[in-house]
Amino acid sequence: MSSFDTVNHDVLMRLVAKRVKDKPVLRLIGRYLRAGMLEGGVASPRTEGTPQGGPLSPLLSNILLDELDQELERRGHRFVRYADDCNVYVRSEAAGERVMASLEGFLTKRLRLKVNRDKSAVARPWDRTFLGYSFTVDREPKLKVARRSVQRLKDKLRATFRTARGRRLKDTIATLVPIIRGWTAYYRLSRVGNVFEELDQWLRRKLRAVLWRQWKRNRTRFDELRRRGLTAEHARLGAGNGRGPWWNAGASHMNAAVPILALRQLGLVSFVEEHRRLARST
């Protein structure tokens, strides 16, 4: 559903009034809800919804959707909700269809909310994403990072790599480290480690590709490979293979010339090690 955009002011204020008895505060909340929207330099009145980005909007949304929580508890459903994103867990697809139809009716009639059909579905837990997480297809399901979340992270990191060609590798790594730590901290509840291993491998290969591009000429590549300990024959074959940066970044000559230890010495942290560290502390 999309509760922030379609909140009915009368329904919301009725529920707020059950909890707040101070009339000046209620009037202030009412003015907050009706505050006009500025679009193209023209202010227009607001007749429904709560201001997006407003500090009070999440609280008001939770007051409204507490009615949904109580209804789900009354029915004995297992569910999880964050803001206006809600998952209800039932035993079968048929039960899911019944619950979906029933809840849509409840939200429409009782709370006057519109359910976003594009984002709502009856599906297996492992086919859905909730707050960036998903589940494994096991007898005892485990939390895992959703593939869509991994793709979004890669897209974000690619923007950093596009600006890395003219920078020292150490500076690029310094930019990446807070992102790695922050992202891993958010997904510390994941109980599946292969995503973190794959990200480590992908990131190291991207960094080696950055170096390959920076070296540009075959002669420079040959000299850099030799300087990093490769034999003349290995360096010659590596420098003159004619392949692109991504292929070379995964080849033996670049893995030997720029090993994991060398990247760590430049400050690179590991997704896997960060995840293990955080898992031990939770």
Side-chain angles (χ1 to χ4, degrees):
M1 61 195 152
S2 181
S3 65
F4 291 106
D5 294 332
T6 62
V7 167
N8 180 282
H9 290 175
D10 292 336
V11 173
L12 176 58
M13 289 305 300
R14 174 174 55 80
L15 294 172
V16 171
K18 289 182 178 181
R19 301 166 182 268
V20 178
K21 303 304 179 184
D22 191 305
K23 291 184 178 179
V25 171
L26 290 173
R27 286 196 295 269
L28 182 62
I29 294 172
R31 287 199 294 267
Y32 169 81
L33 290 173
R34 294 188 299 273
M37 296 176 288
L38 191 64
E39 187 174 350
V42 178
S44 56
R46 185 191 302 274
T47 57
E48 65 175 9
T50 59
Q52 288 282 4
L56 195 57
S57 294
L59 175 60
L60 294 175
S61 179
N62 273 329
I63 290 174
L64 180 69
L65 292 176
D66 184 58
E67 295 289 301
L68 173 63
D69 296 343
Q70 292 184 35
E71 178 67 13
L72 290 169
E73 288 175 353
R74 186 184 67 78
R75 298 183 187 188
H77 289 312
R78 293 185 177 184
F79 69 97
V80 58
R81 181 179 69 80
Y82 182 85
D84 58 349
D85 195 356
C86 182
N87 281 8
V88 182
Y89 301 100
V90 294
R91 292 185 178 275
S92 68
E93 184 177 356
E97 295 290 354
R98 288 196 301 271
V99 170
M100 170 75 85
S102 176
L103 289 181
E104 187 170 1
F106 172 83
L107 290 166
T108 302
K109 295 175 184 177
R110 180 80 171 269
L111 301 182
R112 298 187 190 177
L113 288 173
K114 298 174 185 176
V115 174
N116 187 331
R117 272 295 184 175
D118 293 333
K119 295 182 178 179
S120 303
V122 175
R124 301 288 186 183
W126 48 84
D127 292 330
R128 303 295 292 172
T129 298
F130 184 72
L131 302 180
Y133 282 91
S134 188
F135 290 97
T136 60
V137 188
D138 294 323
R139 186 177 181 83
E140 294 184 7
K142 299 175 184 176
L143 270 181
K144 69 173 186 176
V145 182
R147 280 291 165 188
R148 199 182 311 164
S149 303
V150 176
Q151 190 57 52
R152 281 199 295 265
L153 174 66
K154 286 184 175 182
D155 291 342
K156 180 178 182 179
L157 295 180
R158 283 190 183 97
T160 300
F161 289 126
R162 281 194 290 271
T163 63
R165 298 182 190 182
R167 303 174 65 194
R168 294 187 309 163
L169 197 64
K170 185 174 183 178
D171 294 336
T172 297
I173 288 173
T175 302
L176 295 172
V177 166
I179 300 173
I180 295 169
R181 285 190 168 139
W183 192 87
T184 309
Y186 181 83
Y187 290 105
R188 66 187 180 277
L189 297 178
S190 173
R191 291 298 172 257
V192 180
N194 63 329
V195 165
F196 302 97
E197 293 170 5
E198 291 169 8
L199 281 170
D200 273 337
Q201 293 170 9
W202 179 84
L203 188 62
R204 290 193 294 263
R205 189 167 177 177
K206 292 292 285 187
L207 289 169
R208 292 181 183 117
V210 167
L211 276 180
W212 191 258
R213 287 190 177 95
Q214 288 180 347
W215 294 343
K216 293 183 180 179
R217 301 178 184 278
N218 286 354
R219 183 65 203 184
T220 305
R221 289 167 178 169
F222 174 83
D223 291 342
E224 289 289 346
L225 293 173
R226 287 287 289 140
R227 187 173 67 83
R228 293 163 187 264
L230 272 66
T231 66
E233 180 64 13
H234 196 183
R236 183 183 64 78
L237 292 172
N241 64 70
R243 303 272 192 147
W246 183 248
W247 186 91
N248 278 282
S252 63
H253 53 275
M254 282 301 284
N255 278 270
V258 191
I260 296 174
L261 179 60
L263 293 172
R264 286 181 177 174
Q265 288 173 342
L266 291 174
L268 184 66
V269 298
S270 163
F271 283 97
V272 168
E273 291 179 2
E274 277 293 295
H275 182 243
R276 287 173 180 167
R277 180 181 67 80
L278 293 165
R280 286 194 297 267
S281 64
T282 55

Coordinates of all heavy atoms in Angstrom, one line a residue, residues 72-144:
L72 N -4.7 -7.6 12.4 CA -3.9 -8.8 12.1 C -3.7 -9.7 13.4 O -3.7 -10.9 13.3 CB -2.6 -8.4 11.5 CG -2.6 -7.9 10.1 CD1 -1.3 -7.3 9.7 CD2 -3.1 -8.9 9.1
E73 N -3.4 -9.0 14.5 CA -3.3 -9.8 15.8 C -4.6 -10.4 16.2 O -4.6 -11.6 16.7 CB -2.8 -8.8 16.9 CG -1.3 -8.4 16.7 CD -0.9 -7.4 17.7 OE1 -1.8 -6.9 18.5 OE2 0.3 -7.0 17.8
R74 N -5.7 -9.7 16.0 CA -7.0 -10.2 16.4 C -7.3 -11.5 15.5 O -7.9 -12.5 16.0 CB -8.1 -9.2 16.1 CG -9.5 -9.6 16.6 CD -10.5 -8.5 16.2 NE -10.7 -8.5 14.8 CZ -11.4 -9.3 14.1 NH1 -12.0 -10.3 14.6 NH2 -11.5 -9.1 12.8
R75 N -6.8 -11.5 14.3 CA -7.1 -12.7 13.4 C -6.1 -13.8 13.6 O -6.2 -14.9 13.1 CB -7.0 -12.2 11.9 CG -8.1 -11.2 11.5 CD -7.9 -10.9 10.0 NE -8.8 -9.9 9.6 CZ -9.0 -9.5 8.4 NH1 -8.4 -10.2 7.4 NH2 -9.8 -8.5 8.1
G76 N -5.0 -13.5 14.4 CA -4.0 -14.6 14.7 C -3.0 -14.8 13.6 O -2.3 -15.8 13.6
H77 N -2.8 -13.8 12.8 CA -1.8 -13.9 11.7 C -0.4 -13.6 12.2 O -0.2 -12.8 13.1 CB -2.2 -12.9 10.5 CG -3.4 -13.3 9.8 ND1 -3.6 -14.5 9.3 CD2 -4.5 -12.5 9.4 CE1 -4.8 -14.6 8.6 NE2 -5.3 -13.4 8.7
R78 N 0.5 -14.2 11.5 CA 1.9 -13.9 11.7 C 2.3 -12.8 10.7 O 2.0 -13.0 9.5 CB 2.8 -15.1 11.5 CG 2.6 -16.1 12.7 CD 3.6 -17.2 12.5 NE 3.5 -18.2 13.6 CZ 4.3 -19.2 13.8 NH1 5.3 -19.4 12.9 NH2 4.1 -20.0 14.8
F79 N 2.8 -11.7 11.1 CA 3.1 -10.6 10.1 C 4.3 -9.8 10.6 O 4.7 -9.9 11.8 CB 1.9 -9.7 10.0 CG 1.5 -8.9 11.2 CD1 1.9 -7.6 11.3 CD2 0.8 -9.5 12.3 CE1 1.6 -6.8 12.4 CE2 0.5 -8.7 13.4 CZ 0.9 -7.4 13.5
V80 N 4.8 -9.0 9.7 CA 5.8 -8.0 10.1 C 5.5 -6.7 9.3 O 5.2 -6.8 8.1 CB 7.2 -8.6 9.7 CG1 7.4 -8.9 8.3 CG2 8.3 -7.6 10.1
R81 N 5.7 -5.6 9.9 CA 5.4 -4.3 9.2 C 6.5 -3.3 9.6 O 6.9 -3.2 10.7 CB 4.0 -3.8 9.6 CG 3.7 -2.4 8.9 CD 2.3 -1.9 9.3 NE 2.2 -1.5 10.7 CZ 2.7 -0.3 11.1 NH1 3.2 0.6 10.3 NH2 2.6 0.0 12.4
Y82 N 6.9 -2.6 8.6 CA 7.7 -1.4 8.8 C 7.2 -0.3 8.0 O 7.1 -0.4 6.7 CB 9.2 -1.7 8.3 CG 10.1 -0.6 8.6 CD1 10.7 -0.4 9.8 CD2 10.4 0.4 7.6 CE1 11.6 0.6 10.1 CE2 11.3 1.4 7.8 CZ 11.9 1.6 9.1 OH 12.7 2.6 9.3
A83 N 6.8 0.8 8.6 CA 6.1 1.9 8.0 C 4.9 1.4 7.2 O 4.0 0.7 7.8 CB 7.0 2.7 7.1
D84 N 4.8 1.6 5.9 CA 3.6 1.1 5.2 C 4.0 -0.1 4.3 O 3.2 -0.5 3.4 CB 3.1 2.2 4.2 CG 4.1 2.7 3.2 OD1 5.3 2.4 3.4 OD2 3.7 3.5 2.3
D85 N 5.1 -0.8 4.7 CA 5.4 -2.1 4.0 C 5.1 -3.2 5.0 O 5.7 -3.3 6.1 CB 6.9 -2.0 3.7 CG 7.3 -3.1 2.7 OD1 6.5 -3.9 2.3 OD2 8.5 -3.1 2.3
C86 N 4.2 -4.1 4.6 CA 3.8 -5.2 5.5 C 3.7 -6.5 4.8 O 3.3 -6.6 3.6 CB 2.4 -4.8 6.0 SG 1.7 -6.0 7.1
N87 N 4.2 -7.5 5.4 CA 4.2 -8.9 5.0 C 3.3 -9.7 6.0 O 3.6 -9.6 7.2 CB 5.6 -9.5 4.9 CG 6.3 -9.1 3.6 OD1 5.8 -8.2 2.9 ND2 7.4 -9.7 3.4
V88 N 2.4 -10.5 5.4 CA 1.6 -11.4 6.2 C 1.9 -12.9 5.8 O 1.9 -13.1 4.6 CB 0.1 -11.1 6.1 CG1 -0.7 -12.1 7.0 CG2 -0.2 -9.7 6.4
Y89 N 2.2 -13.7 6.8 CA 2.6 -15.1 6.4 C 1.5 -16.1 6.8 O 1.0 -16.2 7.9 CB 3.9 -15.4 7.2 CG 5.0 -14.5 6.9 CD1 5.3 -13.4 7.8 CD2 5.8 -14.6 5.7 CE1 6.4 -12.5 7.4 CE2 6.8 -13.7 5.4 CZ 7.1 -12.7 6.3 OH 8.0 -11.8 6.0
V90 N 1.1 -16.9 5.7 CA 0.1 -17.9 5.9 C 0.6 -19.2 5.3 O 1.7 -19.3 4.7 CB -1.2 -17.4 5.2 CG1 -1.8 -16.2 5.9 CG2 -1.0 -17.1 3.7
R91 N -0.2 -20.3 5.4 CA 0.3 -21.6 5.1 C 0.1 -22.0 3.6 O 0.8 -22.9 3.1 CB -0.4 -22.6 5.9 CG -0.1 -22.5 7.4 CD -0.7 -23.7 8.2 NE -0.4 -23.6 9.6 CZ 0.7 -24.2 10.1 NH1 1.6 -24.8 9.3 NH2 1.0 -24.1 11.4
S92 N -0.7 -21.3 2.8 CA -1.0 -21.7 1.5 C -1.3 -20.5 0.6 O -1.6 -19.4 1.1 CB -2.1 -22.7 1.4 OG -3.3 -22.1 1.7
E93 N -1.2 -20.7 -0.7 CA -1.5 -19.7 -1.7 C -3.0 -19.3 -1.6 O -3.3 -18.1 -1.7 CB -1.2 -20.1 -3.1 CG -1.4 -19.1 -4.1 CD -0.9 -19.5 -5.5 OE1 -0.4 -20.6 -5.7 OE2 -1.1 -18.7 -6.5
A94 N -3.8 -20.3 -1.4 CA -5.3 -20.0 -1.3 C -5.6 -19.1 -0.1 O -6.3 -18.2 -0.2 CB -6.0 -21.3 -1.2
A95 N -4.9 -19.5 1.0 CA -5.1 -18.6 2.2 C -4.6 -17.2 2.0 O -5.1 -16.2 2.4 CB -4.4 -19.3 3.4
G96 N -3.4 -17.1 1.3 CA -2.9 -15.8 0.9 C -3.8 -15.0 0.1 O -4.0 -13.8 0.4
E97 N -4.5 -15.6 -0.8 CA -5.5 -14.9 -1.7 C -6.6 -14.4 -0.8 O -7.1 -13.2 -1.0 CB -6.0 -15.8 -2.8 CG -4.9 -16.2 -3.8 CD -4.5 -15.0 -4.7 OE1 -5.0 -13.9 -4.6 OE2 -3.5 -15.2 -5.5
R98 N -7.1 -15.2 0.1 CA -8.2 -14.8 1.0 C -7.8 -13.7 1.9 O -8.6 -12.7 2.0 CB -8.7 -16.0 1.8 CG -9.4 -17.1 1.1 CD -10.2 -18.0 2.0 NE -9.3 -18.7 2.9 CZ -8.7 -19.8 2.7 NH1 -8.9 -20.5 1.6 NH2 -7.9 -20.4 3.6
V99 N -6.6 -13.8 2.5 CA -6.2 -12.7 3.4 C -5.9 -11.4 2.6 O -6.3 -10.3 3.1 CB -4.9 -13.2 4.1 CG1 -4.2 -12.0 4.9 CG2 -5.2 -14.3 5.0
M100 N -5.4 -11.5 1.4 CA -5.1 -10.3 0.6 C -6.5 -9.6 0.3 O -6.6 -8.4 0.5 CB -4.5 -10.7 -0.7 CG -4.4 -9.6 -1.7 SD -3.1 -8.3 -1.3 CE -1.7 -9.1 -2.0
A101 N -7.4 -10.3 -0.1 CA -8.7 -9.7 -0.4 C -9.4 -9.1 0.8 O -9.9 -8.0 0.8 CB -9.7 -10.7 -1.1
S102 N -9.3 -9.9 1.9 CA -9.9 -9.4 3.2 C -9.2 -8.1 3.7 O -9.9 -7.2 4.1 CB -9.8 -10.5 4.2 OG -10.3 -10.1 5.5
L103 N -7.9 -8.1 3.7 CA -7.1 -6.9 4.2 C -7.3 -5.7 3.2 O -7.4 -4.6 3.7 CB -5.7 -7.3 4.3 CG -5.3 -8.2 5.4 CD1 -3.8 -8.4 5.5 CD2 -5.8 -7.7 6.8
E104 N -7.4 -6.0 2.0 CA -7.7 -4.9 1.1 C -9.1 -4.2 1.4 O -9.2 -3.0 1.4 CB -7.7 -5.3 -0.4 CG -7.8 -4.2 -1.4 CD -7.5 -4.6 -2.8 OE1 -7.3 -5.8 -3.0 OE2 -7.5 -3.8 -3.7
G105 N -10.0 -5.1 1.7 CA -11.3 -4.5 2.1 C -11.3 -3.8 3.4 O -11.9 -2.7 3.5
F106 N -10.5 -4.3 4.3 CA -10.4 -3.6 5.6 C -9.7 -2.3 5.5 O -10.2 -1.3 6.0 CB -9.5 -4.5 6.6 CG -9.1 -3.8 7.9 CD1 -10.0 -3.8 8.9 CD2 -7.9 -3.2 8.0 CE1 -9.7 -3.2 10.1 CE2 -7.6 -2.6 9.2 CZ -8.5 -2.6 10.3
L107 N -8.6 -2.2 4.7 CA -7.9 -1.0 4.5 C -8.7 0.1 3.8 O -8.7 1.3 4.1 CB -6.6 -1.2 3.8 CG -5.5 -2.0 4.5 CD1 -4.4 -2.5 3.6 CD2 -4.9 -1.2 5.6
T108 N -9.5 -0.4 2.8 CA -10.3 0.5 2.0 C -11.5 1.1 2.8 O -11.7 2.3 2.8 CB -10.8 -0.2 0.7 OG1 -9.7 -0.7 0.0 CG2 -11.6 0.8 -0.1
K109 N -12.2 0.2 3.5 CA -13.4 0.6 4.2 C -13.1 1.2 5.5 O -13.7 2.3 5.9 CB -14.3 -0.6 4.3 CG -14.8 -1.2 3.0 CD -15.7 -2.4 3.2 CE -16.1 -3.0 1.9 NZ -16.8 -4.3 2.1
R110 N -12.2 0.6 6.3 CA -12.0 1.1 7.6 C -11.0 2.3 7.7 O -11.3 3.2 8.4 CB -11.4 -0.1 8.5 CG -11.1 0.2 9.9 CD -12.4 0.2 10.8 NE -12.0 0.3 12.2 CZ -11.8 -0.7 13.0 NH1 -11.9 -1.9 12.5 NH2 -11.4 -0.5 14.2
L111 N -9.9 2.2 6.9 CA -8.9 3.3 7.0 C -8.9 4.1 5.8 O -8.1 5.1 5.7 CB -7.5 2.6 7.2 CG -7.4 1.8 8.5 CD1 -6.0 1.2 8.6 CD2 -7.8 2.6 9.7
R112 N -9.7 3.8 4.7 CA -9.8 4.5 3.5 C -8.4 4.7 2.8 O -8.0 5.8 2.3 CB -10.4 5.9 3.7 CG -11.8 5.9 4.2 CD -12.5 7.2 4.3 NE -13.7 7.2 5.0 CZ -14.5 8.2 5.3 NH1 -14.1 9.4 4.9 NH2 -15.6 8.1 5.9
L113 N -7.7 3.6 2.8 CA -6.3 3.6 2.2 C -6.4 2.8 0.9 O -7.2 1.9 0.8 CB -5.3 2.9 3.1 CG -4.9 3.7 4.3 CD1 -3.9 2.9 5.2 CD2 -4.1 5.0 3.9
K114 N -5.6 3.2 -0.1 CA -5.6 2.5 -1.4 C -4.4 1.6 -1.4 O -3.2 2.0 -1.0 CB -5.4 3.5 -2.5 CG -6.5 4.5 -2.7 CD -6.2 5.6 -3.7 CE -7.3 6.6 -3.8 NZ -7.0 7.7 -4.7
V115 N -4.6 0.3 -1.7 CA -3.5 -0.7 -1.8 C -2.8 -0.6 -3.1 O -3.5 -0.5 -4.2 CB -4.1 -2.1 -1.6 CG1 -3.0 -3.1 -1.8 CG2 -4.7 -2.2 -0.2
N116 N -1.5 -0.5 -3.0 CA -0.7 -0.4 -4.3 C -0.6 -1.8 -4.9 O 0.2 -2.6 -4.4 CB 0.7 0.2 -4.0 CG 1.5 0.5 -5.2 OD1 1.3 -0.2 -6.2 ND2 2.4 1.4 -5.1
R117 N -1.4 -2.1 -5.9 CA -1.4 -3.4 -6.4 C -0.1 -3.8 -7.2 O 0.2 -5.0 -7.3 CB -2.6 -3.6 -7.4 CG -3.9 -4.0 -6.8 CD -3.7 -5.4 -6.2 NE -4.9 -6.0 -5.6 CZ -5.0 -7.2 -5.2 NH1 -4.0 -8.0 -5.3 NH2 -6.1 -7.6 -4.7
D118 N 0.6 -2.8 -7.6 CA 1.9 -3.0 -8.3 C 2.9 -3.6 -7.4 O 3.8 -4.3 -7.8 CB 2.4 -1.8 -9.0 CG 1.5 -1.3 -10.1 OD1 0.9 -2.2 -10.7 OD2 1.5 -0.1 -10.4
K119 N 2.8 -3.2 -6.1 CA 3.8 -3.7 -5.1 C 3.3 -4.8 -4.2 O 4.0 -5.3 -3.4 CB 4.3 -2.5 -4.2 CG 5.0 -1.4 -5.0 CD 5.5 -0.3 -4.1 CE 6.3 0.7 -4.9 NZ 6.7 1.8 -4.0
S120 N 2.0 -5.2 -4.4 CA 1.4 -6.2 -3.5 C 1.2 -7.5 -4.3 O 0.9 -7.5 -5.5 CB 0.0 -5.7 -3.0 OG 0.2 -4.4 -2.3
A121 N 1.4 -8.6 -3.6 CA 1.3 -9.9 -4.3 C 1.2 -11.0 -3.3 O 1.6 -10.8 -2.1 CB 2.5 -10.1 -5.2
V122 N 0.6 -12.1 -3.7 CA 0.6 -13.3 -2.9 C 1.7 -14.2 -3.5 O 1.7 -14.6 -4.7 CB -0.7 -14.1 -3.0 CG1 -0.6 -15.4 -2.3 CG2 -1.8 -13.2 -2.4
A123 N 2.8 -14.5 -2.7 CA 3.9 -15.2 -3.3 C 4.6 -16.0 -2.2 O 4.4 -15.7 -1.0 CB 4.9 -14.3 -4.0
R124 N 5.6 -16.8 -2.5 CA 6.4 -17.5 -1.6 C 7.3 -16.5 -0.9 O 7.7 -15.5 -1.5 CB 7.3 -18.6 -2.3 CG 6.5 -19.7 -3.0 CD 5.8 -20.6 -2.0 NE 5.1 -21.7 -2.7 CZ 4.4 -22.6 -2.1 NH1 4.2 -22.6 -0.8 NH2 3.9 -23.6 -2.8
P125 N 7.7 -16.7 0.4 CA 8.5 -15.7 1.1 C 9.8 -15.5 0.4 O 10.3 -14.3 0.4 CB 8.7 -16.4 2.5 CG 7.5 -17.2 2.7 CD 7.2 -17.8 1.3
W126 N 10.4 -16.5 -0.2 CA 11.7 -16.3 -0.9 C 11.6 -15.6 -2.2 O 12.6 -15.3 -2.8 CB 12.4 -17.7 -1.0 CG 11.5 -18.8 -1.6 CD1 11.3 -19.0 -2.9 CD2 10.8 -19.7 -0.9 NE1 10.4 -20.1 -3.0 CE2 10.1 -20.6 -1.8 CE3 10.7 -20.0 0.5 CZ2 9.3 -21.6 -1.4 CZ3 9.9 -21.1 0.9 CH2 9.2 -21.9 -0.1
D127 N 10.4 -15.4 -2.7 CA 10.2 -14.7 -3.9 C 9.9 -13.2 -3.7 O 9.8 -12.4 -4.6 CB 9.0 -15.2 -4.7 CG 9.3 -16.6 -5.3 OD1 10.4 -16.9 -5.6 OD2 8.3 -17.4 -5.4
R128 N 9.8 -12.8 -2.4 CA 9.6 -11.4 -2.0 C 10.7 -10.8 -1.3 O 11.6 -11.5 -0.8 CB 8.3 -11.3 -1.1 CG 7.1 -12.0 -1.7 CD 6.6 -11.2 -3.0 NE 6.1 -9.9 -2.6 CZ 5.8 -8.9 -3.5 NH1 6.0 -9.2 -4.8 NH2 5.4 -7.7 -3.1
T129 N 10.8 -9.5 -1.4 CA 11.9 -8.7 -0.7 C 11.2 -7.8 0.4 O 10.2 -7.2 0.1 CB 12.6 -7.9 -1.7 OG1 13.3 -8.7 -2.6 CG2 13.7 -7.0 -1.0
F130 N 11.8 -7.8 1.6 CA 11.3 -7.0 2.6 C 12.4 -6.3 3.3 O 13.3 -6.9 3.9 CB 10.5 -7.8 3.7 CG 9.9 -7.0 4.8 CD1 8.7 -6.2 4.5 CD2 10.4 -7.0 6.1 CE1 8.1 -5.5 5.5 CE2 9.8 -6.2 7.1 CZ 8.7 -5.4 6.8
L131 N 12.5 -5.0 3.2 CA 13.6 -4.1 3.7 C 14.9 -4.6 3.2 O 15.9 -4.6 3.9 CB 13.5 -4.1 5.2 CG 12.2 -3.6 5.9 CD1 12.3 -3.7 7.4 CD2 11.9 -2.2 5.4
G132 N 15.0 -5.1 2.0 CA 16.2 -5.5 1.4 C 16.6 -7.0 1.7 O 17.6 -7.5 1.1
Y133 N 15.8 -7.6 2.5 CA 16.1 -9.0 2.8 C 15.1 -10.0 2.1 O 14.1 -9.6 1.6 CB 15.9 -9.3 4.3 CG 17.0 -8.8 5.2 CD1 17.0 -7.5 5.8 CD2 18.0 -9.7 5.6 CE1 18.0 -7.1 6.6 CE2 19.1 -9.2 6.4 CZ 19.0 -8.0 6.9 OH 20.0 -7.5 7.8
S134 N 15.5 -11.2 2.0 CA 14.6 -12.3 1.5 C 14.9 -13.6 2.4 O 15.6 -13.5 3.4 CB 14.9 -12.6 0.1 OG 13.9 -13.5 -0.5
F135 N 14.4 -14.7 1.9 CA 14.5 -16.0 2.7 C 15.1 -17.0 1.7 O 15.0 -17.0 0.5 CB 13.2 -16.5 3.2 CG 12.6 -15.6 4.3 CD1 11.7 -14.7 4.0 CD2 13.0 -15.8 5.6 CE1 11.1 -13.9 5.0 CE2 12.5 -15.0 6.6 CZ 11.5 -14.1 6.4
T136 N 15.8 -18.0 2.4 CA 16.2 -19.2 1.6 C 15.1 -20.2 1.4 O 14.1 -20.1 2.2 CB 17.4 -19.9 2.4 OG1 16.9 -20.3 3.6 CG2 18.6 -18.9 2.5
V137 N 15.3 -21.1 0.4 CA 14.3 -22.1 0.2 C 14.7 -23.4 1.0 O 15.1 -24.3 0.4 CB 14.1 -22.4 -1.3 CG1 13.0 -23.4 -1.6 CG2 14.0 -21.2 -2.1
D138 N 14.6 -23.3 2.3 CA 15.0 -24.4 3.2 C 13.8 -24.8 4.1 O 12.8 -24.0 4.2 CB 16.1 -24.0 4.1 CG 17.4 -23.7 3.3 OD1 17.6 -24.4 2.3 OD2 18.1 -22.8 3.6
R139 N 13.9 -26.0 4.6 CA 12.9 -26.4 5.6 C 12.8 -25.5 6.7 O 11.7 -25.2 7.2 CB 13.2 -27.8 6.1 CG 12.1 -28.5 6.9 CD 12.4 -29.9 7.4 NE 11.4 -30.5 8.2 CZ 10.3 -31.1 7.7 NH1 10.1 -31.1 6.4 NH2 9.4 -31.6 8.4
E140 N 13.9 -25.0 7.2 CA 14.0 -23.9 8.2 C 14.6 -22.7 7.5 O 15.8 -22.6 7.4 CB 14.8 -24.3 9.4 CG 14.2 -25.5 10.2 CD 15.0 -25.8 11.4 OE1 16.0 -25.1 11.7 OE2 14.7 -26.9 12.1
P141 N 13.8 -21.8 7.0 CA 14.2 -20.7 6.2 C 15.2 -19.8 7.0 O 15.1 -19.6 8.2 CB 13.0 -19.9 5.8 CG 11.9 -20.9 6.0 CD 12.3 -21.8 7.1
K142 N 16.2 -19.2 6.2 CA 17.1 -18.3 6.8 C 17.0 -17.0 6.1 O 16.8 -16.9 4.9 CB 18.6 -18.9 6.7 CG 18.8 -20.2 7.4 CD 20.2 -20.7 7.0 CE 20.5 -22.1 7.6 NZ 21.8 -22.6 7.2
L143 N 17.3 -15.9 6.9 CA 17.4 -14.6 6.3 C 18.6 -14.5 5.4 O 19.7 -14.9 5.7 CB 17.5 -13.5 7.4 CG 16.2 -12.9 8.0 CD1 16.6 -11.9 9.0 CD2 15.3 -12.3 6.9
K144 N 18.4 -13.8 4.2 CA 19.5 -13.6 3.3 C 19.3 -12.2 2.7 O 18.2 -11.7 2.7 CB 19.6 -14.7 2.3 CG 18.5 -14.7 1.2 CD 18.7 -15.7 0.1 CE 17.7 -15.5 -1.0 NZ 18.0 -16.4 -2.1

